[in-house]
């Protein structure tokens, strides 16, 4: 655990100082950068690939990287206590209720944005949008009969489901007589797949990046009344003192950037093609050395040498 490492480091530093004092040495030694890094992870395909890429790069830079599988709340708590160093899966504002207090207290910091313009809202297949002229929530309500006045959701209690239920309760866009069909993510995607196969109308909770955006041509519904929080981002968060204690790691992680199409393709390869995240990460890195070099601009290795992807 990082707390134990810090205690040992402090004790070691104290012993060294006493030894130097006893020998008459008064020079100051700069503290070595911590080379043990822990990344938080949930079983999300894009995050698993991103963590494998980060681990591979940091290992080449001289760091020892551990990937710890935890829930989002436990991961946030681990960052706040210093037991976890960084998290590359902070969906914002979806995870605001979990992270906001830690951010306000200063226990967790945002290093940068990994993926911009992520979506998490209802969508329809493009053939539905074209046939019924459905491009917004208002259009959806006007074509209620075609959809059976039902929208497909995922697990009960998720932020997306709750937003849909609140919209129905408030009769936003005239959706007051609609129903949300809650199930599981896998069950919803299977049902959407069946309806797409038969070219049937379907409206469902969608998000991007995800393999659904690779497999299906989707239209995310416009929301002029701002029922939904709008386009979000996936951020890199870290324990509050990472930038101070491991500045090279913090700089590298802050400079990582991934576009939605790439993240969706990673998800597709892992979840639909059955490829291990490490294999997907390795193949991508071999074909994108220039991009990794951009992430390493101004970064040095643990031993102080300029970092490069090769």
């Amino acid at each position: 655990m990082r707390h134990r490492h810090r205690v040992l480091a402090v004790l070691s530093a104290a012993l060294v100082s006493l030894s130097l004092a006893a020998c008459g040495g008064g020079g100051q030694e700069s503290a070595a950068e911590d080379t043990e890094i822990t990344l938080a992870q949930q079983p999300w395909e894009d995050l698993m690939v991103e963590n494998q890429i980060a681990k591979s790069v940091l290992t080449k830079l001289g760091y020892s990287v551990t990937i710890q599988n935890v829930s989002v709340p436990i991961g946030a708590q681990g960052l706040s206590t210093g037991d976890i160093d960084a998290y590359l899966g902070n969906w914002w504002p979806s995870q605001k209720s979990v992270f906001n207090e830690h951010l306000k207290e200063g226990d967790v910091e945002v290093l940068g944005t990994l993926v911009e313009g992520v979506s998490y809202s209802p969508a329809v297949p493009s053939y539905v949008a074209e046939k019924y002229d459905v491009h917004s929530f208002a259009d959806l309500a006007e074509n209620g009969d075609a959809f059976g006045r039902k929208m497909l959701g995922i697990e009960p209690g998720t932020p997306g489901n709750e937003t849909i239920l609140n919209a129905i309760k408030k009769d936003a866009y005239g959706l007051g007589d609609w129903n949300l069909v809650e199930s599981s993510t896998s069950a919803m995607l299977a049902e959407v797949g069946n309806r797409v196969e038969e070219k049937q109308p379907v409206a469902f909770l969608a998000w991007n990046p995800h393999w659904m955006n690779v497999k299906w041509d989707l239209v995310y519904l416009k929301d002029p009344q701002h029922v939904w929080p709008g386009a979000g981002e996936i951020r890199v968060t870290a324990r509050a003192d990472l930038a101070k204690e491991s500045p090279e790691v913090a700089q590298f992680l802050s400079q990582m950037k991934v576009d939605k199409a790439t993240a969706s393709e990673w998800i597709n390869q892992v979840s639909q093609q059955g490829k291990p995240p490490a294999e997907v990460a390795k193949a991508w890195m071999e074909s994108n050395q220039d991009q990794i070099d951009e992430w390493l601009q101004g970064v040095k290795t643990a031993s102080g040498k300029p970092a490069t992807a090769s």
Side-chain angles (χ1 to χ4, degrees):
M1 302 291 281
R2 181 164 295 278
H3 285 164
R4 184 177 65 186
H5 292 159
R6 288 177 181 166
V7 171
L8 291 175
V10 171
L11 291 174
S12 297
L15 290 173
V16 170
S17 297
L18 288 172
S19 177
L20 288 173
C23 295
Q28 291 185 341
E29 296 287 338
S30 60
E33 183 174 343
D34 191 348
T35 58
E36 294 186 6
I37 301 298
T38 300
L39 303 176
Q41 179 168 279
Q42 289 82 47
W44 304 338
E45 293 88 349
D46 53 334
L47 177 58
M48 291 190 286
V49 173
E50 288 151 2
N51 274 345
Q52 288 296 325
I53 292 173
K55 179 178 180 179
S56 179
V57 173
L58 289 172
T59 299
K60 289 181 180 179
L61 298 185
Y63 297 90
S64 176
V65 181
T66 299
I67 297 174
Q68 187 171 336
N69 291 294
V70 293
S71 66
V72 173
I74 296 300
Q77 183 65 27
L79 288 170
S80 72
T81 59
D83 294 314
I84 292 174
D85 294 293
Y87 175 46
L88 280 64
N90 180 216
W91 279 70
W92 195 263
S94 299
Q95 295 177 1
K96 186 175 182 179
S97 61
V98 177
F99 275 87
N100 213 33
E101 194 62 32
H102 296 303
L103 292 168
K104 286 182 177 179
E105 292 294 328
D107 299 325
V108 177
E109 294 183 347
V110 178
L111 295 183
T113 298
L114 181 66
V115 184
E116 296 181 338
V118 301
S119 303
Y120 184 55
S121 67
V124 298
S126 60
Y127 67 83
V128 173
E130 294 172 5
K131 181 176 181 179
Y132 297 97
D133 194 23
V134 173
H135 296 87
S136 70
F137 289 108
D139 298 334
L140 193 65
E142 292 175 2
N143 291 274
D145 290 342
F147 294 88
R149 289 181 169 76
K150 292 181 180 179
M151 196 178 305
L152 305 184
I154 53 176
E155 291 79 6
T158 57
N161 279 21
E162 291 303 307
T163 302
I164 294 172
L165 289 171
N166 287 334
I168 292 173
K169 183 178 180 180
K170 296 178 180 179
D171 194 26
Y173 298 105
L175 294 171
D177 58 350
W178 279 59
N179 291 297
L180 174 67
V181 180
E182 298 183 297
S183 58
S184 66
T185 299
S186 59
M188 183 199 74
L189 292 171
E191 178 62 20
V192 172
N194 291 335
R195 297 197 190 186
V196 170
E197 185 72 21
E198 298 177 3
K199 296 294 183 181
Q200 294 180 352
V202 61
F204 64 100
L205 179 59
W207 54 94
N208 188 4
H210 189 266
W211 62 257
M212 69 177 78
N213 302 281
V214 176
K215 189 171 184 178
W216 305 318
D217 186 14
L218 302 178
V219 174
Y220 286 81
L221 300 179
K222 295 178 182 178
D223 176 27
Q225 294 182 20
H226 303 294
V227 172
W228 288 80
E233 58 188 8
I234 301 176
R235 311 188 303 184
V236 178
T237 52
R239 58 182 174 88
D241 49 4
L242 180 67
K244 179 180 179 180
E245 296 182 1
S246 300
E248 305 303 328
V249 174
Q251 183 175 349
F252 161 63
L253 294 178
S254 72
Q255 293 175 177
M256 285 185 68
K257 305 292 179 185
V258 177
D259 60 66
K260 290 185 293 184
T262 297
S264 291
E265 181 55 38
W266 289 342
I267 297 170
N268 185 57
Q269 290 181 33
V270 175
S271 66
Q272 300 299 291
Q273 299 176 22
K275 295 181 180 180
E279 179 182 317
V280 174
K282 181 180 179 181
W284 184 86
M285 292 178 66
E286 289 175 349
S287 301
N288 293 273
Q289 294 293 310
D290 290 345
Q291 185 165 343
I292 297 173
D293 277 333
E294 290 181 11
W295 297 349
L296 291 172
Q297 284 287 330
V299 177
K300 295 180 180 179
T301 66
S303 60
K305 299 178 181 179
T308 60
S310 56

